[in-house]
Amino acid sequence: MSKTILVTGAGRGLGRTLAEQLSARGDKVIAHARTESALDGVPHEAKLVLDLAEPAAIADAVTGLGLDRLDGVIHNAGIAHIAPVADQTLEWWEQTLRINVTAPAELTRVLLPALRAARGHVVFVNSGAGIASGPKWSSYAASKHALKALADALRGEEQPNGVRVTSVYPSHFDTDMQRSVREQYDAEYDRSRATSPESIAKTITDLFHTPEDMVINELRIEPPNPLPIRARS
C-alpha cells in the first residue's frame, strides 16, 4: 500500500536519495528544502519550502499542506560545525541546536495529529556522534545526543497512539557532509570505505514496511572497514 512520507533535507545527498527510492516504490513524497530550486529534479507529490533555522515558521508552513493523515516523517536535514570548543562561536551553537533539535521537535509536534491518525512512523536520522563524541564534535554531537533524547521521549509518549519512533545512526557514508568533515579535519577520504547513500536510504525506507507487530527502536549502520578520521601526519 502506498504511503505518504515527508522527507526533510530532500534537495541533496541522502534526502534526495530517500525521495527517489520512496517514489520508485510507489510512495508519495512530501519533499522539504530551504528553496524551491533545491527540489529541481527531486520526485515529490508535494513540497515544504522552509528554512529550519526559523522554527517559528514551521506551524504555518505545515498548515498549508492540509494534511489529515501522514504515514511517516524522516528527519534527515542537519548541519555540522567542526571545531574545538574554544573556536565554536555562540552563533554556531545556536544555529546547530535550532536546525538539528528544535526544528525536528517543532515539526514533529505540528505533524502529530496526522501521524496519530495514520498510526505513522517517525524516523530520526541521527549519527555516530549521537552515541559518542570526540574532539571538534562538541556542538554537533550535543545536538545529536539531544535528538536521541527527543526520540526516546516521543517513543514512550506515542506508543499508546500507535506511532512508531526509530533513531538511525549511520556512520561514515558517502555524502558531501562527510567529505566536508574530513576536509575540516585535514583527514583522508576514501569513498570505497564508506557506505553508499543508496544503502542507507534503502535501510531507512524499509523501516516503513516492517510488520505491524514490531518496531525497530534504534538502528546502527557502519561500513565494514571504515576509514578513521585522523589528521594527515
Side-chain angles (χ1 to χ4, degrees):
M1 180 182 295
S2 173
K3 296 180 181 291
T4 299
I5 299 171
L6 192 157
V7 180
T8 69
R12 62 176 188 161
L14 178 61
R16 180 177 285 254
T17 304
L18 284 163
E20 291 169 349
Q21 290 193 8
L22 288 167
S23 294
R25 292 167 68 133
D27 292 324
K28 298 176 181 178
V29 173
I30 302 173
H32 158 266
R34 282 188 299 170
T35 64
E36 289 201 26
S37 61
L39 295 175
D40 289 347
V42 178
H44 59 277
E45 293 284 326
K47 57 191 173 185
L48 178 65
V49 178
L50 172 71
D51 187 350
L52 295 179
E54 300 177 2
I58 289 175
D60 286 344
V62 171
T63 298
L65 293 173
L67 294 173
D68 295 321
R69 295 171 58 87
L70 182 66
D71 295 296
V73 55
I74 304 174
H75 292 290
N76 165 71
I79 189 172
H81 292 294
I82 309 302
V85 172
D87 298 329
Q88 291 272 353
T89 66
L90 176 60
E91 180 183 2
W92 282 4
W93 274 99
E94 291 179 340
Q95 183 187 49
T96 300
L97 293 172
R98 276 199 310 272
I99 294 174
N100 292 3
V101 186
T102 305
E106 174 64 359
L107 182 56
T108 300
R109 182 189 71 81
V110 175
L111 292 172
L112 270 176
L115 288 162
R116 288 168 177 165
R119 298 177 67 85
H121 199 153
V122 182
V123 175
F124 294 94
V125 179
N126 203 296
S127 165
I131 298 171
S133 187
K136 299 186 179 182
W137 287 100
S138 58
S139 62
Y140 181 71
S143 73
K144 291 300 188 177
H145 276 71
L147 193 67
K148 178 187 185 302
L150 169 61
D152 291 346
L154 182 69
R155 183 180 302 112
E157 293 163 3
E158 293 301 319
Q159 281 177 342
N161 298 316
V163 175
R164 296 188 284 184
V165 179
T166 302
S167 288
V168 179
Y169 299 89
S171 175
H172 300 294
F173 69 105
D174 186 26
T175 65
D176 291 341
M177 178 181 284
Q178 183 69 213
R179 284 189 286 273
S180 174
V181 165
R182 289 175 184 267
E183 286 173 3
Q184 293 176 70
Y185 267 90
D186 190 28
E188 294 182 2
Y189 183 74
D190 182 353
R191 65 181 304 179
S192 71
R193 294 176 66 178
T195 306
S196 72
E198 289 77 16
S199 294
I200 302 290
K202 183 181 185 305
T203 300
I204 293 173
T205 58
D206 284 348
L207 291 171
F208 292 95
H209 297 277
T210 53
E212 292 186 0
D213 62 352
M214 62 169 281
V215 58
I216 298 173
N217 293 333
E218 295 187 333
L219 183 62
R220 295 185 64 176
I221 305 169
E222 294 183 349
N225 184 28
L227 181 66
I229 301 177
R230 296 195 186 100
R232 294 181 177 90
S233 56

PDB file of all heavy atoms in Angstrom, residues 20-51:
ATOM      1  N   GLU A  20      13.951   9.647  -3.967  1.00  0.00           N
ATOM      2  CA  GLU A  20      13.973   8.845  -5.190  1.00  0.00           C
ATOM      3  C   GLU A  20      13.542   7.406  -4.910  1.00  0.00           C
ATOM      4  O   GLU A  20      12.735   6.835  -5.662  1.00  0.00           O
ATOM      5  CB  GLU A  20      15.372   8.875  -5.792  1.00  0.00           C
ATOM      6  CG  GLU A  20      15.770  10.230  -6.353  1.00  0.00           C
ATOM      7  CD  GLU A  20      17.240  10.331  -6.715  1.00  0.00           C
ATOM      8  OE1 GLU A  20      18.021   9.424  -6.354  1.00  0.00           O
ATOM      9  OE2 GLU A  20      17.619  11.324  -7.361  1.00  0.00           O
ATOM     10  N   GLN A  21      14.066   6.818  -3.841  1.00  0.00           N
ATOM     11  CA  GLN A  21      13.732   5.425  -3.550  1.00  0.00           C
ATOM     12  C   GLN A  21      12.279   5.265  -3.105  1.00  0.00           C
ATOM     13  O   GLN A  21      11.605   4.313  -3.497  1.00  0.00           O
ATOM     14  CB  GLN A  21      14.684   4.871  -2.495  1.00  0.00           C
ATOM     15  CG  GLN A  21      16.106   4.678  -3.008  1.00  0.00           C
ATOM     16  CD  GLN A  21      16.961   3.839  -2.069  1.00  0.00           C
ATOM     17  OE1 GLN A  21      16.476   3.273  -1.095  1.00  0.00           O
ATOM     18  NE2 GLN A  21      18.247   3.744  -2.366  1.00  0.00           N
ATOM     19  N   LEU A  22      11.794   6.188  -2.289  1.00  0.00           N
ATOM     20  CA  LEU A  22      10.399   6.115  -1.850  1.00  0.00           C
ATOM     21  C   LEU A  22       9.456   6.244  -3.045  1.00  0.00           C
ATOM     22  O   LEU A  22       8.473   5.494  -3.165  1.00  0.00           O
ATOM     23  CB  LEU A  22      10.110   7.209  -0.824  1.00  0.00           C
ATOM     24  CG  LEU A  22      10.733   7.005   0.563  1.00  0.00           C
ATOM     25  CD1 LEU A  22      10.647   8.303   1.365  1.00  0.00           C
ATOM     26  CD2 LEU A  22      10.030   5.878   1.313  1.00  0.00           C
ATOM     27  N   SER A  23       9.743   7.188  -3.923  1.00  0.00           N
ATOM     28  CA  SER A  23       8.893   7.381  -5.101  1.00  0.00           C
ATOM     29  C   SER A  23       8.936   6.158  -6.011  1.00  0.00           C
ATOM     30  O   SER A  23       7.907   5.749  -6.570  1.00  0.00           O
ATOM     31  CB  SER A  23       9.343   8.626  -5.874  1.00  0.00           C
ATOM     32  OG  SER A  23       9.138   9.786  -5.120  1.00  0.00           O
ATOM     33  N   ALA A  24      10.129   5.566  -6.167  1.00  0.00           N
ATOM     34  CA  ALA A  24      10.263   4.384  -7.009  1.00  0.00           C
ATOM     35  C   ALA A  24       9.449   3.214  -6.466  1.00  0.00           C
ATOM     36  O   ALA A  24       9.001   2.349  -7.227  1.00  0.00           O
ATOM     37  CB  ALA A  24      11.739   3.994  -7.131  1.00  0.00           C
ATOM     38  N   ARG A  25       9.245   3.188  -5.156  1.00  0.00           N
ATOM     39  CA  ARG A  25       8.452   2.132  -4.538  1.00  0.00           C
ATOM     40  C   ARG A  25       6.958   2.409  -4.615  1.00  0.00           C
ATOM     41  O   ARG A  25       6.147   1.577  -4.213  1.00  0.00           O
ATOM     42  CB  ARG A  25       8.852   1.990  -3.069  1.00  0.00           C
ATOM     43  CG  ARG A  25      10.242   1.448  -2.857  1.00  0.00           C
ATOM     44  CD  ARG A  25      10.707   1.621  -1.426  1.00  0.00           C
ATOM     45  NE  ARG A  25       9.944   0.792  -0.513  1.00  0.00           N
ATOM     46  CZ  ARG A  25      10.485   0.026   0.439  1.00  0.00           C
ATOM     47  NH1 ARG A  25      11.794   0.023   0.598  1.00  0.00           N
ATOM     48  NH2 ARG A  25       9.751  -0.694   1.215  1.00  0.00           N
ATOM     49  N   GLY A  26       6.601   3.597  -5.083  1.00  0.00           N
ATOM     50  CA  GLY A  26       5.187   3.932  -5.182  1.00  0.00           C
ATOM     51  C   GLY A  26       4.660   4.772  -4.039  1.00  0.00           C
ATOM     52  O   GLY A  26       3.453   5.047  -3.968  1.00  0.00           O
ATOM     53  N   ASP A  27       5.540   5.185  -3.132  1.00  0.00           N
ATOM     54  CA  ASP A  27       5.113   6.040  -2.038  1.00  0.00           C
ATOM     55  C   ASP A  27       5.028   7.489  -2.506  1.00  0.00           C
ATOM     56  O   ASP A  27       5.689   7.898  -3.457  1.00  0.00           O
ATOM     57  CB  ASP A  27       6.080   5.928  -0.859  1.00  0.00           C
ATOM     58  CG  ASP A  27       6.032   4.560  -0.200  1.00  0.00           C
ATOM     59  OD1 ASP A  27       4.935   3.986  -0.127  1.00  0.00           O
ATOM     60  OD2 ASP A  27       7.099   4.062   0.221  1.00  0.00           O
ATOM     61  N   LYS A  28       4.218   8.270  -1.801  1.00  0.00           N
ATOM     62  CA  LYS A  28       4.068   9.692  -2.104  1.00  0.00           C
ATOM     63  C   LYS A  28       5.000  10.479  -1.186  1.00  0.00           C
ATOM     64  O   LYS A  28       4.929  10.346   0.024  1.00  0.00           O
ATOM     65  CB  LYS A  28       2.621  10.131  -1.908  1.00  0.00           C
ATOM     66  CG  LYS A  28       1.646   9.415  -2.825  1.00  0.00           C
ATOM     67  CD  LYS A  28       0.215   9.823  -2.532  1.00  0.00           C
ATOM     68  CE  LYS A  28      -0.757   9.086  -3.448  1.00  0.00           C
ATOM     69  NZ  LYS A  28      -2.174   9.421  -3.148  1.00  0.00           N
ATOM     70  N   VAL A  29       5.842  11.300  -1.784  1.00  0.00           N
ATOM     71  CA  VAL A  29       6.846  12.042  -1.029  1.00  0.00           C
ATOM     72  C   VAL A  29       6.441  13.506  -0.893  1.00  0.00           C
ATOM     73  O   VAL A  29       6.072  14.161  -1.871  1.00  0.00           O
ATOM     74  CB  VAL A  29       8.220  11.958  -1.720  1.00  0.00           C
ATOM     75  CG1 VAL A  29       9.234  12.863  -1.030  1.00  0.00           C
ATOM     76  CG2 VAL A  29       8.717  10.517  -1.739  1.00  0.00           C
ATOM     77  N   ILE A  30       6.507  13.997   0.341  1.00  0.00           N
ATOM     78  CA  ILE A  30       6.455  15.431   0.590  1.00  0.00           C
ATOM     79  C   ILE A  30       7.901  15.843   0.819  1.00  0.00           C
ATOM     80  O   ILE A  30       8.516  15.450   1.809  1.00  0.00           O
ATOM     81  CB  ILE A  30       5.591  15.781   1.809  1.00  0.00           C
ATOM     82  CG1 ILE A  30       4.171  15.252   1.631  1.00  0.00           C
ATOM     83  CG2 ILE A  30       5.580  17.296   2.040  1.00  0.00           C
ATOM     84  CD1 ILE A  30       3.295  15.410   2.869  1.00  0.00           C
ATOM     85  N   ALA A  31       8.447  16.600  -0.108  1.00  0.00           N
ATOM     86  CA  ALA A  31       9.874  16.925  -0.074  1.00  0.00           C
ATOM     87  C   ALA A  31      10.095  18.296   0.544  1.00  0.00           C
ATOM     88  O   ALA A  31       9.483  19.285   0.129  1.00  0.00           O
ATOM     89  CB  ALA A  31      10.450  16.890  -1.492  1.00  0.00           C
ATOM     90  N   HIS A  32      10.984  18.334   1.518  1.00  0.00           N
ATOM     91  CA  HIS A  32      11.333  19.598   2.162  1.00  0.00           C
ATOM     92  C   HIS A  32      12.692  20.081   1.674  1.00  0.00           C
ATOM     93  O   HIS A  32      13.622  19.298   1.471  1.00  0.00           O
ATOM     94  CB  HIS A  32      11.395  19.459   3.683  1.00  0.00           C
ATOM     95  CG  HIS A  32      12.240  20.537   4.317  1.00  0.00           C
ATOM     96  ND1 HIS A  32      13.582  20.359   4.592  1.00  0.00           N
ATOM     97  CD2 HIS A  32      11.951  21.821   4.664  1.00  0.00           C
ATOM     98  CE1 HIS A  32      14.081  21.479   5.100  1.00  0.00           C
ATOM     99  NE2 HIS A  32      13.125  22.373   5.160  1.00  0.00           N
ATOM    100  N   ALA A  33      12.799  21.398   1.500  1.00  0.00           N
ATOM    101  CA  ALA A  33      14.082  22.043   1.241  1.00  0.00           C
ATOM    102  C   ALA A  33      13.953  23.509   1.618  1.00  0.00           C
ATOM    103  O   ALA A  33      12.856  24.018   1.826  1.00  0.00           O
ATOM    104  CB  ALA A  33      14.502  21.894  -0.220  1.00  0.00           C
ATOM    105  N   ARG A  34      15.083  24.184   1.691  1.00  0.00           N
ATOM    106  CA  ARG A  34      15.057  25.610   2.041  1.00  0.00           C
ATOM    107  C   ARG A  34      14.540  26.471   0.901  1.00  0.00           C
ATOM    108  O   ARG A  34      13.973  27.544   1.129  1.00  0.00           O
ATOM    109  CB  ARG A  34      16.462  26.081   2.433  1.00  0.00           C
ATOM    110  CG  ARG A  34      16.869  25.681   3.841  1.00  0.00           C
ATOM    111  CD  ARG A  34      18.175  26.337   4.220  1.00  0.00           C
ATOM    112  NE  ARG A  34      19.258  25.940   3.344  1.00  0.00           N
ATOM    113  CZ  ARG A  34      20.466  26.508   3.324  1.00  0.00           C
ATOM    114  NH1 ARG A  34      20.714  27.517   4.126  1.00  0.00           N
ATOM    115  NH2 ARG A  34      21.407  26.057   2.513  1.00  0.00           N
ATOM    116  N   THR A  35      14.770  26.021  -0.340  1.00  0.00           N
ATOM    117  CA  THR A  35      14.340  26.782  -1.507  1.00  0.00           C
ATOM    118  C   THR A  35      13.646  25.857  -2.501  1.00  0.00           C
ATOM    119  O   THR A  35      13.920  24.650  -2.523  1.00  0.00           O
ATOM    120  CB  THR A  35      15.537  27.456  -2.207  1.00  0.00           C
ATOM    121  OG1 THR A  35      16.417  26.439  -2.708  1.00  0.00           O
ATOM    122  CG2 THR A  35      16.296  28.357  -1.236  1.00  0.00           C
ATOM    123  N   GLU A  36      12.794  26.413  -3.338  1.00  0.00           N
ATOM    124  CA  GLU A  36      12.123  25.616  -4.358  1.00  0.00           C
ATOM    125  C   GLU A  36      13.123  25.076  -5.370  1.00  0.00           C
ATOM    126  O   GLU A  36      13.002  23.935  -5.836  1.00  0.00           O
ATOM    127  CB  GLU A  36      11.062  26.462  -5.069  1.00  0.00           C
ATOM    128  CG  GLU A  36       9.855  26.772  -4.195  1.00  0.00           C
ATOM    129  CD  GLU A  36       8.628  27.148  -5.009  1.00  0.00           C
ATOM    130  OE1 GLU A  36       8.541  26.710  -6.175  1.00  0.00           O
ATOM    131  OE2 GLU A  36       7.781  27.871  -4.474  1.00  0.00           O
ATOM    132  N   SER A  37      14.121  25.874  -5.714  1.00  0.00           N
ATOM    133  CA  SER A  37      15.091  25.433  -6.721  1.00  0.00           C
ATOM    134  C   SER A  37      15.866  24.206  -6.258  1.00  0.00           C
ATOM    135  O   SER A  37      16.312  23.407  -7.087  1.00  0.00           O
ATOM    136  CB  SER A  37      16.063  26.574  -7.052  1.00  0.00           C
ATOM    137  OG  SER A  37      16.796  26.970  -5.908  1.00  0.00           O
ATOM    138  N   ALA A  38      16.029  24.045  -4.950  1.00  0.00           N
ATOM    139  CA  ALA A  38      16.758  22.880  -4.434  1.00  0.00           C
ATOM    140  C   ALA A  38      16.027  21.582  -4.736  1.00  0.00           C
ATOM    141  O   ALA A  38      16.629  20.508  -4.726  1.00  0.00           O
ATOM    142  CB  ALA A  38      16.968  23.013  -2.929  1.00  0.00           C
ATOM    143  N   LEU A  39      14.722  21.676  -5.014  1.00  0.00           N
ATOM    144  CA  LEU A  39      13.923  20.475  -5.281  1.00  0.00           C
ATOM    145  C   LEU A  39      13.815  20.157  -6.770  1.00  0.00           C
ATOM    146  O   LEU A  39      13.100  19.232  -7.146  1.00  0.00           O
ATOM    147  CB  LEU A  39      12.525  20.635  -4.678  1.00  0.00           C
ATOM    148  CG  LEU A  39      12.488  20.721  -3.144  1.00  0.00           C
ATOM    149  CD1 LEU A  39      11.071  20.997  -2.664  1.00  0.00           C
ATOM    150  CD2 LEU A  39      13.035  19.443  -2.521  1.00  0.00           C
ATOM    151  N   ASP A  40      14.523  20.908  -7.601  1.00  0.00           N
ATOM    152  CA  ASP A  40      14.525  20.605  -9.034  1.00  0.00           C
ATOM    153  C   ASP A  40      15.043  19.183  -9.247  1.00  0.00           C
ATOM    154  O   ASP A  40      16.132  18.816  -8.781  1.00  0.00           O
ATOM    155  CB  ASP A  40      15.419  21.585  -9.798  1.00  0.00           C
ATOM    156  CG  ASP A  40      14.835  22.989  -9.874  1.00  0.00           C
ATOM    157  OD1 ASP A  40      13.643  23.141  -9.556  1.00  0.00           O
ATOM    158  OD2 ASP A  40      15.575  23.922 -10.250  1.00  0.00           O
ATOM    159  N   GLY A  41      14.263  18.379  -9.938  1.00  0.00           N
ATOM    160  CA  GLY A  41      14.660  17.006 -10.227  1.00  0.00           C
ATOM    161  C   GLY A  41      14.366  16.016  -9.122  1.00  0.00           C
ATOM    162  O   GLY A  41      14.605  14.818  -9.299  1.00  0.00           O
ATOM    163  N   VAL A  42      13.860  16.489  -7.987  1.00  0.00           N
ATOM    164  CA  VAL A  42      13.518  15.593  -6.883  1.00  0.00           C
ATOM    165  C   VAL A  42      12.068  15.134  -7.049  1.00  0.00           C
ATOM    166  O   VAL A  42      11.165  15.963  -7.130  1.00  0.00           O
ATOM    167  CB  VAL A  42      13.671  16.299  -5.515  1.00  0.00           C
ATOM    168  CG1 VAL A  42      13.252  15.365  -4.382  1.00  0.00           C
ATOM    169  CG2 VAL A  42      15.101  16.763  -5.319  1.00  0.00           C
ATOM    170  N   PRO A  43      11.816  13.834  -7.111  1.00  0.00           N
ATOM    171  CA  PRO A  43      10.430  13.367  -7.259  1.00  0.00           C
ATOM    172  C   PRO A  43       9.621  13.655  -5.989  1.00  0.00           C
ATOM    173  O   PRO A  43      10.063  13.353  -4.884  1.00  0.00           O
ATOM    174  CB  PRO A  43      10.587  11.860  -7.484  1.00  0.00           C
ATOM    175  CG  PRO A  43      11.907  11.513  -6.868  1.00  0.00           C
ATOM    176  CD  PRO A  43      12.778  12.718  -7.036  1.00  0.00           C
ATOM    177  N   HIS A  44       8.453  14.261  -6.148  1.00  0.00           N
ATOM    178  CA  HIS A  44       7.624  14.554  -4.991  1.00  0.00           C
ATOM    179  C   HIS A  44       6.188  14.831  -5.412  1.00  0.00           C
ATOM    180  O   HIS A  44       5.925  15.287  -6.526  1.00  0.00           O
ATOM    181  CB  HIS A  44       8.165  15.744  -4.206  1.00  0.00           C
ATOM    182  CG  HIS A  44       8.264  17.022  -4.985  1.00  0.00           C
ATOM    183  ND1 HIS A  44       9.350  17.312  -5.802  1.00  0.00           N
ATOM    184  CD2 HIS A  44       7.429  18.082  -5.077  1.00  0.00           C
ATOM    185  CE1 HIS A  44       9.164  18.497  -6.351  1.00  0.00           C
ATOM    186  NE2 HIS A  44       8.004  18.991  -5.939  1.00  0.00           N
ATOM    187  N   GLU A  45       5.264  14.541  -4.499  1.00  0.00           N
ATOM    188  CA  GLU A  45       3.847  14.838  -4.702  1.00  0.00           C
ATOM    189  C   GLU A  45       3.505  16.221  -4.167  1.00  0.00           C
ATOM    190  O   GLU A  45       2.588  16.876  -4.643  1.00  0.00           O
ATOM    191  CB  GLU A  45       2.994  13.795  -3.971  1.00  0.00           C
ATOM    192  CG  GLU A  45       3.082  12.396  -4.540  1.00  0.00           C
ATOM    193  CD  GLU A  45       2.289  12.254  -5.832  1.00  0.00           C
ATOM    194  OE1 GLU A  45       1.240  12.915  -5.962  1.00  0.00           O
ATOM    195  OE2 GLU A  45       2.737  11.489  -6.705  1.00  0.00           O
ATOM    196  N   ALA A  46       4.216  16.649  -3.137  1.00  0.00           N
ATOM    197  CA  ALA A  46       4.016  17.965  -2.536  1.00  0.00           C
ATOM    198  C   ALA A  46       5.358  18.426  -1.997  1.00  0.00           C
ATOM    199  O   ALA A  46       6.298  17.646  -1.872  1.00  0.00           O
ATOM    200  CB  ALA A  46       2.974  17.891  -1.427  1.00  0.00           C
ATOM    201  N   LYS A  47       5.444  19.704  -1.683  1.00  0.00           N
ATOM    202  CA  LYS A  47       6.718  20.232  -1.189  1.00  0.00           C
ATOM    203  C   LYS A  47       6.492  21.126   0.024  1.00  0.00           C
ATOM    204  O   LYS A  47       5.419  21.734   0.196  1.00  0.00           O
ATOM    205  CB  LYS A  47       7.434  21.005  -2.297  1.00  0.00           C
ATOM    206  CG  LYS A  47       6.636  22.158  -2.893  1.00  0.00           C
ATOM    207  CD  LYS A  47       7.316  22.683  -4.141  1.00  0.00           C
ATOM    208  CE  LYS A  47       6.439  23.720  -4.848  1.00  0.00           C
ATOM    209  NZ  LYS A  47       7.022  24.152  -6.127  1.00  0.00           N
ATOM    210  N   LEU A  48       7.505  21.177   0.861  1.00  0.00           N
ATOM    211  CA  LEU A  48       7.514  22.031   2.036  1.00  0.00           C
ATOM    212  C   LEU A  48       8.776  22.872   1.942  1.00  0.00           C
ATOM    213  O   LEU A  48       9.873  22.392   2.216  1.00  0.00           O
ATOM    214  CB  LEU A  48       7.504  21.185   3.315  1.00  0.00           C
ATOM    215  CG  LEU A  48       7.565  21.939   4.644  1.00  0.00           C
ATOM    216  CD1 LEU A  48       6.306  22.793   4.831  1.00  0.00           C
ATOM    217  CD2 LEU A  48       7.725  20.970   5.807  1.00  0.00           C
ATOM    218  N   VAL A  49       8.618  24.116   1.531  1.00  0.00           N
ATOM    219  CA  VAL A  49       9.760  25.012   1.375  1.00  0.00           C
ATOM    220  C   VAL A  49       9.870  25.849   2.639  1.00  0.00           C
ATOM    221  O   VAL A  49       8.985  26.653   2.943  1.00  0.00           O
ATOM    222  CB  VAL A  49       9.606  25.903   0.125  1.00  0.00           C
ATOM    223  CG1 VAL A  49      10.789  26.864   0.009  1.00  0.00           C
ATOM    224  CG2 VAL A  49       9.496  25.037  -1.122  1.00  0.00           C
ATOM    225  N   LEU A  50      10.965  25.642   3.355  1.00  0.00           N
ATOM    226  CA  LEU A  50      11.059  26.188   4.703  1.00  0.00           C
ATOM    227  C   LEU A  50      12.498  26.151   5.176  1.00  0.00           C
ATOM    228  O   LEU A  50      13.205  25.163   4.948  1.00  0.00           O
ATOM    229  CB  LEU A  50      10.183  25.338   5.643  1.00  0.00           C
ATOM    230  CG  LEU A  50      10.243  25.589   7.132  1.00  0.00           C
ATOM    231  CD1 LEU A  50       9.570  26.915   7.467  1.00  0.00           C
ATOM    232  CD2 LEU A  50       9.547  24.460   7.877  1.00  0.00           C
ATOM    233  N   ASP A  51      12.936  27.227   5.842  1.00  0.00           N
ATOM    234  CA  ASP A  51      14.258  27.252   6.451  1.00  0.00           C
ATOM    235  C   ASP A  51      14.125  26.766   7.891  1.00  0.00           C
ATOM    236  O   ASP A  51      13.504  27.427   8.723  1.00  0.00           O
ATOM    237  CB  ASP A  51      14.829  28.674   6.418  1.00  0.00           C
ATOM    238  CG  ASP A  51      16.278  28.737   6.890  1.00  0.00           C
ATOM    239  OD1 ASP A  51      16.768  27.726   7.422  1.00  0.00           O
ATOM    240  OD2 ASP A  51      16.906  29.799   6.720  1.00  0.00           O
TER     241      ASP A  51
END
